[in-house]
Structures are given as C-alpha cells and as structure tokens.
Amino acid sequence: MAARPRIKDVAEYAGVSPKTVSNVINNFEHVSDRTRETVKEAIEALGYRVNIAGRQLRQGRTGMITLAVPELDVAYFAELAKHVMAEADRRGQTVLLHQTNGVRERELAALHGFDAQFTDGVILSPLALHPRDVATRDRRLPVVLLGERPAEGSTDHVAIDNVAAAREATAHLLSRGRRRIAVVGGMVRGPQGTDRLRTDGYREALKEAHVPFDSDLVVPVDAFHWRDGARAAAALLDADPRPDALLCLNDHLALGALRALYERGVSVPGELDVVGFDDIEASQFSVPSLTTVAPDKREIARAAVALLLDRIDDPDTSPLQDHVVGHEVIVRESTGG
Amino acid sequence: MAARPRIKDVAEYAGVSPKTVSNVINNFEHVSDRTRETVKEAIEALGYRVNIAGRQLRQGRTGMITLAVPELDVAYFAELAKHVMAEADRRGQTVLLHQTNGVRERELAALHGFDAQFTDGVILSPLALHPRDVATRDRRLPVVLLGERPAEGSTDHVAIDNVAAAREATAHLLSRGRRRIAVVGGMVRGPQGTDRLRTDGYREALKEAHVPFDSDLVVPVDAFHWRDGARAAAALLDADPRPDALLCLNDHLALGALRALYERGVSVPGELDVVGFDDIEASQFSVPSLTTVAPDKREIARAAVALLLDRIDDPDTSPLQDHVVGHEVIVRESTGG
DNA sequence: CATGCGAATTACATCGATGTAAATGTGCGG
DNA sequence: CCGCACATTTACATCGATGTAATTCGCATG
C-alpha cells in the first residue's frame, strides 16, 4: 500500500511547486483559477491530506485545545463537553478531551499541558487543585478554568454565580414552607469551592427568612455520584428530627436520593422536597421529575472557548476575565411543580 | 514572557548536543548517569516540554488515536469513551474524541481522518454509514468499528452478539409469562444494523417459545433518547390489545418509557415489564430500577484499542478481526428482580 | 606507551508544510 | 515595441526532534 502522499507529490503530479499547492490548500488569493483547479484535481487523485505535524511545526499552532473534565460519565460534564466541542468546531478548533478523575496530579498535568507542548491551550474543570498550583503555574500555556476557582487571578474563569444560585434554590424551598433543609454535598468551612459557595448561598437564604442554621443538616459526601446521594439521603432519614427537604448540590446526588427515598417509602414531594443542580437530561425523566438549578451550559462553553482563543491570540495584554454565566431554577415535580 | 524552550536551548544550557538531550528524553541506554542528570536538571530549569509536532514529523506517528461516537450525552457512549480513554492511556496513547451526531457526513469524515493526517487511527461507532462508504474507504488509515457494522470485511470490528443478547432478554420476559412484547426502537426489515439484529434475536426467542410474531409490536423510533422512549410507550398504551412488556433497544428509551408509564399510572412490573440495553449507570437508580442487557464495556474498549494498535503497527498482514464481546442480562425491579 | 574496543557523544540530514523574498508572467499605456 | 505595475509562481530556509553514521572518549591489554 502506498505511503501517504506529501505536498511535494501533489506538486509533481500537478506540475507546479509545493508552495503553490500550499497556497491552494490555504486559499491564498493570488492563485489563478486554472492552477487552483489543476492542483485540486491532483489532491483528489492522490488522496492527499494535510499533515498537521508539518503545519504545526511551521506555524507554531495546532488548532487543538484541551478540555479536561473530571469524569465523562458524570452527565453534567458529558453535556458540557458536548457543547464545548460544538463551539470549538464552530471556531475551527479541535478538542482533545481528557479525564482527570478529579485527581490533583492529573489536574496539574492538565494545567501544564500534559508534559507535551501539544495543544494551544487548556479548558480545565478542576476539583482537587490547590490554590498554589494555580498561582505558580507556567504562564506560557493559556488556561481557562470552569466552575471551581482555586485561586483568584492567574487564569481566566467561567462559572455561574453559585452563591446566588443556591440562595434562589433554597428560597424556593422556603417559599414552599420547608424549614429543615438539608444540604447534601455541602461544606460549611473550607476553601471557596463550589460546595462551599453553594452552602454559603443556602445560609444567606436561611438568614433572609429568619430560619436558624443547623450545621447537622450540612452533609458532606465522598463524591457527587448517585450512590453518594442515596447513602446521604438514607442517613438523613434516620436523623431526628427529619429534614423536610434536600438541597443536593448536583443532580446525580439528587437522583440517588430520590431512589433512596423511594426505597424507604418516603413520598416526594409529599413528605419531602428534593432539589438538584445542573439540569442534566435525566432530571426531566426521573420519577418524580427533578427541580434543579440549570446553568446556561451553552454559554459556559461559548465563553470558555472565546476566552481561551483570545488568550491564545494575545497571551499578555488583555486583563484576566471572570465571566459569570446565567442560571435558572427549574421547578419540576420534586418540589410540587 | 519567554518563548517555550526547544531541545536546542536545553542542550546549550546543559552543555551537550541536542541529540544527547533527545537521548535522555527517550531513555536511550548509552547515556552516562552524570550527563543524564545534568540534562534532566536543564529540562527542569527551563521548563522544557517535548514538541509533539516535531517528534511526529520525524517519527511518522502521533501517539494519538481518534474515537468518534455519535453523542457524548448519550450515557452509553460517555461510559464507553471513558473506558476507551482509560485503556488508551494505559497503552501510552492519547485519545482525540469526536462527536458525529450520527450524521453520515461526519462519520465519513471520521472514517477518513477528518481531512487531516492527524491521528494514527480511528475507533468509530457508526450509525448512518452506508456499506459502500466502508468498502471504498481509504485503507491507509487503520479503523476499528464498534457496534454497527455496515459492511463485512474491510475493517476490524468489535461488538456484542446482538442477536443472542436480544434473544436472551426476550426469553427472560417470556419466562415471566409475558406474551405481547413490544420492541421499542426495533426494525423488522432493512440493513443488518444493531436494531435489526436485536429484532431478529427477539423473533428467534418468540419462535422458540411458539409465540406468534406481531409486526405491530415492533415500533421504530427517530432516535434512541428518553423522549423517543416516552413517546413510543405512550403510543403503545393506546394500542389494543396492550403490550404486556417493552423490550427497549437501549436504556434511554427504557427510562423514557418508564417515565411515560408512570405518568399514565401503569405499574411496572405489576402490569407491564420493561427491559433496556446498555446498563448505563442510571438504570440502577431509576424508579423502578431497570432490567437491562449489560455489554462488557471494558472489554469492548480493551479490544478496540488493542485491535487498532495492532493494525497501526502492522497495517497489512494480519487478518481482519471480528471480536465478539460478552454480555449479561441483569435482572432488576422492572421485571420483578 | 601504543593499540583496540565498546561506550558515549555528536554532526548532519531529514520528516512536511509554509513564510519570505525573489523571479517570472501578464496586461496595459505610451 | 518598450517598460512598468501588478498578479502568479517559485526557490529556499525554517520550524523541533531524532535516526544514521561518524567521531571522540575511557579504559584495559599487550
């Protein structure tokens, strides 16, 4: 089987110089129609395809960006990835997707381009990164962080207003008369991660409604998966007094909780309300369907890609951006919708 | 901000030749410990990282493989992607993930390497590919197909035994006394796609049990999403006589059906059984939990990566493989488990 | 101390595409 | 028919890493 043809082969076949072929490929304007036609035929005839390595070596750009998320089988990240890839596509970029499993080491690797000068920049959704990791990173690789923000400054950042989102979701529960609202996946003290910010928003809502805060109702979890939500909900049912609502910090926790409540015969929303975050597709189809805080994922993707490409084009001058994306509380059956 | 250092800069810093630096990077054996140490320090000091483009240009390999799936927000593909990426990682390869949206044009592009000589090979999960597309493809790019197989030969292929899987799932329903089993997403005539093969398996099971086949019970769908399952289930409830079981050809259809049945007040598995395919994580946590056919996803991923890498190493000689992966019917609440 | 041998290191060419600058071609006015 | 302006096309060098082959080094032996 013949080796892949090079630009030189196409040139010889077409009877022109390699550079002319290159000019045709790149739609350079000063190429006569006849030459362009001849070259295109040669490309077709030989089945020629650009070798990206050669191009990148010359141009210094790959046209690829890295997207690093914790886990693809967490629906939120899969949906986000889908949007980022679509947006990148629209802007002529290719996405290299990585999973970090939320492990600091791998997030660090992402932050530094996976020990290869590979893609032009990185969009990273961190979980375990330490503030110092971000502060001391190698500034030569453009990075946009999503969601968590271990440290101010140093990178561009895109996220929803987590405090406001949690406040609104909590207010919704309070407006339905709920008073003992548990926070599944919450965190009272500790770094300003998403869990902490959302717990803060929850507390703000309680305060506004003059409902006392009870730290026993803030339940940390190992991970944000179904099983953790199920486990936490089961534990909360045994508490005395029982909570009358669960504010779950993502939809998987909430869906796991729904399952546990079903197993215990607790009616939702009759006896207890449940709210999630992320608005993954499953939350529309669960039984009962799930009230949730929907971030504008498309806008997150759009902003992240835009910020990153700007930063790639112009690494130094433009000021660091902190893009806040809209969100919305979608009321469904799990809170009487 | 300084530009990224090249191998030459490291060489100068360490006082050796570029080739020696390269030897250190690639763990070439004939390098003295002292030199190795010096070079490593220089790499560290300058923050040097390999430029993949340069390496690939020289070596003719990228160490990257493409994985092209229809949609990441279909959980099965997200889970599969996760496994493929993990397996590729284990074998020192990086995965470039693409979504085709099940559009023939994009699948064709994947089959041909996305008009760039980019990755070393492609793992493609096709939906819309025409047999001719596969038969006439450019053989210079190694390809492994997953699931659907538009044409025999021409590529390596990995899938479960769809006929047997559907036969077993149907037999399970029959053993529970179900006799009017609808196939959601099924196809009686048409190409040997997954839907057709599974419908064939369903028919085999009926035949073995001497249950007559009724083509009205085979319901095609637009796509394999929740909403399509919900829609199909709703339509089937209005049929007379009603089916007493739904064999849904993936879990999303099944979960959507469960939702529709819940809305209509039909008890599962009391009045009606539901079975899915894929064993996505959600099927463990749905209400009721879902009986489903679980393909060995890890093995699919392992085999696909292995076949592809073999083909990359040795494009011509080894015979085309058709790897059949194991599956298992997991009985849960939706069929009385 | 010359010689030989393997280990360690290096010079050089090369992978494929494209930017630069120079060369060639074309059309038009004078 | 000449010369100029502009459009096309081309020669050549270059991006960064590494394979090949040649060179240098270190050390033991006669």
Side-chain angles (χ1 to χ4, degrees):
Chain A
M1 204 172 293
R4 302 201 84 114
R6 300 153 298 170
I7 215 169
K8 186 160 155 263
D9 302 317
V10 176
E12 277 165 17
Y13 187 98
V16 299
S17 76
K19 182 69 219 270
T20 298
V21 177
S22 168
N23 287 338
V24 170
I25 293 167
N26 294 288
N27 285 315
F28 182 62
E29 57 179 344
H30 296 306
V31 178
S32 70
D33 289 347
R34 214 156 58 85
T35 307
R36 191 180 298 275
E37 207 48 47
T38 316
V39 170
K40 281 188 170 165
E41 276 162 20
I43 288 175
E44 187 67 27
L46 299 179
Y48 169 80
R49 277 147 210 284
V50 175
N51 180 322
I52 292 285
R55 171 179 289 174
Q56 197 252 326
L57 189 54
R58 185 63 241 225
Q59 298 185 329
R61 277 239 206 152
T62 54
M64 292 197 272
I65 60 180
T66 297
L67 172 64
V69 297
E71 288 181 281
L72 267 187
D73 54 1
V74 170
Y76 173 69
F77 293 117
E79 295 182 5
L80 190 61
K82 181 182 170 127
H83 285 119
V84 169
M85 291 170 75
E87 178 65 19
D89 211 55
R90 197 167 304 128
R91 309 218 21 189
Q93 303 297 112
T94 300
V95 173
L96 197 62
L97 188 56
H98 271 272
Q99 294 180 98
T100 63
N101 294 312
V103 173
R104 172 157 170 253
E105 237 174 27
R106 291 179 63 89
E107 293 184 354
L108 259 174
L111 201 60
H112 291 98
F114 294 98
D115 66 40
Q117 196 171 327
F118 208 68
T119 57
D120 301 331
V122 175
I123 298 174
L124 169 64
S125 178
L127 284 184
L129 229 41
H130 191 282
R132 203 177 34 241
D133 300 333
V134 179
T136 63
R137 80 191 181 82
D138 183 343
R139 301 292 193 94
R140 282 171 298 195
L141 180 70
V143 169
V144 173
L145 293 183
L146 301 184
E148 302 278 341
R149 182 172 49 175
E152 298 273 334
S154 161
T155 74
D156 296 297
H157 177 251
V158 178
I160 63 170
D161 182 340
N162 280 298
V163 175
R167 192 173 52 223
E168 290 162 26
T170 308
H172 167 63
L173 290 169
L174 290 166
S175 76
R176 285 179 39 79
R178 304 303 185 177
R179 285 298 175 272
R180 287 190 55 77
I181 304 172
V183 185
V184 178
M187 168 174 276
V188 178
R189 254 171 276 280
Q192 300 279 317
T194 301
D195 46 0
R196 172 68 196 283
L197 294 174
R198 290 180 182 173
T199 307
D200 288 354
Y202 157 82
R203 294 183 70 168
E204 285 183 13
L206 291 185
K207 197 164 182 186
E208 277 170 22
H210 305 293
V211 172
F213 169 70
D214 176 356
S215 64
D216 286 350
L217 288 173
V218 178
V219 186
V221 295
D222 291 339
F224 279 60
H225 289 176
W226 276 283
R227 73 184 67 87
D228 304 284
R231 203 176 296 143
L236 280 164
L237 288 182
D238 296 332
D240 185 36
R242 251 191 202 186
D244 56 13
L246 305 183
L247 179 70
C248 302
L249 295 196
N250 84 354
D251 282 353
H252 282 175
L253 290 175
L255 294 170
L258 285 182
R259 172 75 205 177
L261 296 171
Y262 163 78
E263 285 174 6
R264 298 294 202 92
V266 177
S267 131
V268 176
E271 298 174 54
L272 202 144
D273 279 358
V274 176
V275 172
F277 273 79
D278 293 347
D279 189 32
I280 64 175
E281 199 174 356
S283 63
Q284 296 169 47
F285 291 91
S286 59
V287 173
S289 61
L290 183 66
T291 294
T292 187
V293 178
D296 186 342
K297 297 185 199 106
R298 177 159 302 153
E299 172 62 10
I300 291 175
R302 196 205 56 72
V305 172
L307 284 175
L308 186 64
L309 293 184
D310 286 353
R311 189 61 62 191
I312 291 169
D313 285 335
D314 178 10
D316 294 318
T317 62
S318 51
L320 290 170
Q321 300 252 0
D322 188 5
H323 190 94
V324 177
V325 168
H327 64 266
E328 184 188 358
V329 177
I330 299 184
V331 178
R332 300 208 183 93
E333 291 165 0
S334 69
T335 63
Chain B
M1 207 171 296
R4 301 197 86 112
R6 299 153 299 169
I7 214 169
K8 186 158 154 262
D9 302 316
V10 176
E12 278 166 14
Y13 187 96
V16 299
S17 78
K19 183 70 223 270
T20 298
V21 176
S22 168
N23 287 338
V24 171
I25 293 167
N26 293 288
N27 284 315
F28 182 63
E29 56 180 343
H30 296 305
V31 177
S32 70
D33 290 349
R34 215 158 55 86
T35 307
R36 193 180 297 274
E37 207 47 46
T38 317
V39 170
K40 281 190 170 164
E41 277 162 19
I43 288 175
E44 185 68 25
L46 299 179
Y48 169 81
R49 278 150 207 284
V50 176
N51 180 322
I52 293 285
R55 170 179 289 174
Q56 197 254 324
L57 189 54
R58 187 63 241 229
Q59 297 186 329
R61 277 241 207 149
T62 53
M64 293 197 272
I65 61 180
T66 297
L67 172 64
V69 297
E71 288 182 281
L72 268 187
D73 53 2
V74 171
Y76 173 69
F77 293 117
E79 294 181 6
L80 190 62
K82 179 180 169 128
H83 285 119
V84 169
M85 293 172 76
E87 179 64 19
D89 211 56
R90 198 169 303 126
R91 309 220 19 189
Q93 303 297 111
T94 300
V95 173
L96 198 61
L97 188 57
H98 271 273
Q99 294 179 103
T100 62
N101 294 312
V103 172
R104 171 155 171 256
E105 237 175 26
R106 291 180 64 88
E107 294 183 354
L108 259 174
L111 202 58
H112 291 98
F114 294 100
D115 68 41
Q117 197 171 328
F118 206 69
T119 57
D120 300 331
V122 175
I123 298 174
L124 170 63
S125 178
L127 285 184
L129 229 41
H130 191 282
R132 204 177 32 243
D133 299 335
V134 179
T136 64
R137 77 190 184 82
D138 183 345
R139 301 292 192 96
R140 284 171 298 195
L141 181 70
V143 169
V144 173
L145 293 184
L146 300 184
E148 303 277 341
R149 183 171 48 173
E152 298 273 333
S154 161
T155 73
D156 297 296
H157 178 248
V158 178
I160 62 171
D161 181 341
N162 280 298
V163 176
R167 192 173 52 225
E168 290 162 27
T170 307
H172 166 63
L173 290 169
L174 290 166
S175 77
R176 284 177 43 78
R178 304 304 185 176
R179 284 298 174 271
R180 288 191 52 78
I181 304 172
V183 185
V184 178
M187 167 175 278
V188 177
R189 255 170 274 280
Q192 301 280 318
T194 301
D195 45 0
R196 172 68 197 282
L197 295 173
R198 290 181 181 172
T199 306
D200 287 354
Y202 158 81
R203 294 181 70 166
E204 286 183 11
L206 291 184
K207 197 165 184 185
E208 276 170 24
H210 305 291
V211 172
F213 168 70
D214 176 355
S215 65
D216 287 349
L217 287 173
V218 178
V219 187
V221 296
D222 291 338
F224 280 61
H225 289 176
W226 276 283
R227 72 184 68 86
D228 304 284
R231 203 174 296 142
L236 280 164
L237 288 181
D238 296 332
D240 185 33
R242 249 190 205 186
D244 56 13
L246 306 183
L247 179 69
C248 302
L249 296 195
N250 85 355
D251 283 353
H252 281 177
L253 290 176
L255 295 170
L258 284 183
R259 172 74 205 177
L261 295 172
Y262 163 78
E263 285 173 6
R264 298 294 202 91
V266 177
S267 134
V268 176
E271 298 174 54
L272 203 144
D273 278 358
V274 176
V275 171
F277 273 80
D278 292 349
D279 190 32
I280 64 175
E281 199 172 356
S283 63
Q284 296 170 49
F285 292 91
S286 59
V287 173
S289 60
L290 182 66
T291 293
T292 187
V293 178
D296 186 342
K297 297 183 200 110
R298 178 159 302 154
E299 173 62 10
I300 292 175
R302 196 205 55 73
V305 172
L307 284 176
L308 186 64
L309 294 184
D310 286 353
R311 190 62 61 193
I312 290 169
D313 285 336
D314 179 9
D316 294 318
T317 62
S318 51
L320 289 170
Q321 300 251 0
D322 188 6
H323 191 93
V324 177
V325 169
H327 64 267
E328 185 189 357
V329 178
I330 299 183
V331 178
R332 300 207 183 94
E333 291 166 1
S334 69
T335 63

